[in-house]
Each structure stands twice: as C-alpha cells, then as structure tokens.
Amino acid sequence: MLITRLHSRALGALFLLPFFAYGLGTALVTSVLKQPEQLAGQRALFVGGALLLVLNSLMVVGIGVLFFPILRERSPGIAIAYVCTRVMEALTFVVGVVFLLCILQLGDSTTPEGGILLKLFSQANVWAYQLAMTILGAGSAAAFLSLHRSPLLPAFLPLVGAVGYGLLSVGSVLEIFGLPYGMIFSGPGGLFELFLGGWLIIRGVRTVT
C-alpha cells in the first residue's frame, strides 16, 4: 500500500485543525451567551462561531475519509465503521449547532421564558457535544485496536490511541449522566489526537509494498 506524504500531511492537519475551529467557535458563541441581552447586536459574532463549529464537522468527516485506506488494509469492515463513526460524530455536532441557532429566534431572551429556553438550547448543545464524543471514543478505540501490530504505524501509537479514545468515551457518558469527570477522561484522547496529527505531518505513515 502506498500512502503519499501529501495524504499523511493532509490527514495530520485534519487531526489538528478541528481543535482550533471548535475551540474558537465555542469561544465566540460562549462570549455572546454570557451577555444574552446583547445578542441582537452580536448576531454576526454568534453566527460566525456557529459556522466554525460546522467547519469542524466537515473536517471530522474528512478525517474518516482520509483514514479509510489506512484502516482498510487491516479490516475493511472496521474501515467502513470508522467512516460511519466520523459521519455520526459530525451530524451530532451539527445538531448541536442547530440548537444554538435556535437561540437567535428567541427574540427578547431577557424575559423569564426566553431565559429558560436559552438555557435549554445551550444545554442541548452541550449534550450533543458529549454524545458526539461518546460516538467518537467508541468507534476510534475499535479502529486503533485494529491497527495494533500494523507496520503502518509505530507499535505504541495504536495502543495509546485505543486507551485514550476509550477513556474519552467513558468520560462523555459520565458527563451525560451529570458526573463532572469528562475533562479528566478526555485529556488523554485529546493529547493523542494532537500528537498523532503532528506525527503524521512530520513522519507520515510507513509505506508497505
């Protein structure tokens, strides 16, 4: 199998860029929601943040597409499942964005009813995020386990990835049930994606003929 340097670097970039897109998008949206009474005057900022969240979803699908040929060498079934995992993750993110955009339709959010709906839509976006992370963690843990002892990557990478993603999924489930441990459990998975992205850009995937 031949995975070009361009392919590896593009995949590595897609592992890194969503951190910036989602992080900046969330920061913009959150900054507006902290002062809901000024939402009418900050619609452009709010919509810009939402669009960055949608961009994150597109890049997530791109990861699945570019990772497909790497996984296919080990297991075509898992390769397809991984793409489906990334698509489901992206769609769940988009559902969360839809909840955020519903806030724009509230009008005067300073009323008691508007305040309640604002909190409800904001929390729904949080739940969508946690569900997306649960899907990502479960699907990615299986995918990286399939790469164990693969000649395409160093032996330690798939195992570290499987553990990190597994913990991410567990932490997200705990958050959904109201247990605030998601940040602790998500750390290893997030650091792994950053490391993997850098590795793919600098070192790339080993070529097997």
Side-chain angles (χ1 to χ4, degrees), residues 1 3 63-64 66-83 139-140 142-147 150 152-153:
M1 181 185 68
I3 300 294
I63 292 174
L66 291 183
F67 215 78
F68 178 81
I70 298 173
L71 288 169
R72 184 178 54 192
E73 293 298 309
R74 303 294 290 180
S75 173
I78 288 181
I80 294 173
Y82 183 74
V83 174
S140 298
F144 277 89
L145 277 177
S146 74
L147 290 174
S150 168
L152 301 175
L153 294 170

Side-chain angles (χ1 to χ4, degrees), residues 13-186:
L14 285 179
F15 269 106
L16 297 176
L17 290 176
F19 281 91
F20 298 100
Y22 195 89
L24 180 57
T26 300
L28 292 175
V29 168
T30 302
S31 67
V32 175
L33 292 180
K34 285 181 178 179
Q35 297 177 311
E37 68 279 358
Q38 299 182 15
L39 179 60
Q42 297 184 326
R43 293 173 69 93
L45 194 64
F46 190 86
V47 171
L51 290 176
L52 283 173
L53 299 182
V54 173
L55 178 60
N56 167 78
S57 298
L58 295 176
M59 290 189 287
V60 160
V61 174
I63 292 174
V65 172
L66 291 183
F67 215 78
F68 178 81
I70 298 173
L71 288 169
R72 184 178 54 192
E73 293 298 309
R74 303 294 290 180
S75 173
I78 288 181
I80 294 173
Y82 183 74
V83 174
C84 292
T85 293
R86 286 295 187 170
V87 171
M88 291 173 62
E89 176 196 357
L91 289 176
T92 308
F93 276 137
V94 171
V95 169
V97 174
V98 171
F99 283 122
L100 289 177
L101 293 178
C102 287
I103 295 174
L104 293 177
Q105 309 304 316
L106 293 180
D108 187 5
S109 59
T110 60
T111 65
E113 296 80 3
I116 292 173
L117 287 175
L118 187 148
K119 290 180 181 179
L120 179 61
F121 289 139
S122 298
Q123 186 59 42
N125 174 64
V126 173
W127 285 332
Y129 171 82
Q130 296 299 344
L131 180 57
M133 292 297 97
T134 302
I135 295 169
L136 168 64
S140 298
F144 277 89
L145 277 177
S146 74
L147 290 174
H148 179 48
R149 296 183 179 178
S150 168
L152 301 175
L153 294 170
F156 73 93
L157 268 181
L159 290 179
V160 172
V163 172
Y165 281 121
L167 291 174
L168 172 64
S169 187
V170 170
S172 296
V173 171
L174 292 176
E175 287 281 348
I176 291 173
F177 284 96
L179 300 174
Y181 302 114
M183 186 65 68
I184 298 173
F185 282 88
S186 66

